[in-house]
Amino acid sequence: MKLSRFPNRQILSVRIFWRNKNRLPGMEIGTIHHVQKKRWLGYRKGSQGTKGESLRMEAVRIRIADAALAKTHSIMYRVHSQTYGWGAWVKDGAVAGTTGKSKRMEAIQIKLVKK
């Protein structure tokens, strides 16, 4: 996972990639982010964020894009939000972070688990 951020720990974009050598077939995930002033951005595979706007990411939803892989695995994730710290682990498209509170995401942890 690669994070792009400023010294104030504000995440501006997220690009998720897998480091294991034995990639599972169809191991592609999609993300939807809640961004300052723009609300929820559309579902995308690969990286997501704003370019040249310096708008903070506030929340994220992550899901496995491949239906066959989604039947056998779940994607779990949690975010560290300004003021609140680490949130609870959520999975498969649930919201992690805050919306409507103007609190930035400062970090994210992601793991793939078998069902």
Side-chain angles (χ1 to χ4, degrees):
M1 175 177 61
K2 180 180 176 183
L3 300 179
S4 301
R5 60 187 195 166
F6 280 76
N8 67 0
R9 297 182 298 215
Q10 176 174 306
I11 297 174
L12 300 177
S13 67
V14 174
R15 180 176 171 232
I16 301 167
F17 59 93
W18 303 106
R19 288 190 291 189
N20 73 349
K21 294 176 188 171
N22 303 319
R23 253 183 84 167
L24 296 170
M27 197 170 175
E28 195 168 277
I29 61 170
T31 61
I32 302 172
H33 289 87
H34 187 275
V35 176
Q36 169 190 5
K37 297 182 183 177
K38 293 187 179 275
R39 302 190 181 230
W40 288 103
L41 300 180
Y43 168 79
R44 287 188 63 188
K45 295 176 187 174
S47 63
Q48 188 163 99
T50 59
K51 203 170 201 175
E53 297 181 61
S54 295
L55 299 176
R56 71 179 167 265
M57 289 189 164
E58 299 174 348
V60 64
R61 295 171 58 194
I62 304 173
R63 67 179 185 190
I64 298 172
D66 180 77
L69 183 62
K71 288 180 183 178
T72 59
H73 290 76
S74 285
I75 189 136
M76 297 185 69
Y77 48 98
R78 68 180 184 158
V79 301
H80 188 278
S81 296
Q82 175 187 5
T83 306
Y84 300 114
W86 285 107
W89 285 97
V90 297
K91 65 180 183 175
D92 300 329
V95 175
T98 64
T99 58
K101 297 182 181 180
S102 298
K103 300 297 180 185
R104 67 181 177 255
M105 277 180 19
E106 297 179 332
I108 184 169
Q109 290 181 320
I110 304 168
K111 59 185 176 181
L112 184 70
V113 295
K114 283 191 173 186
K115 288 185 178 181

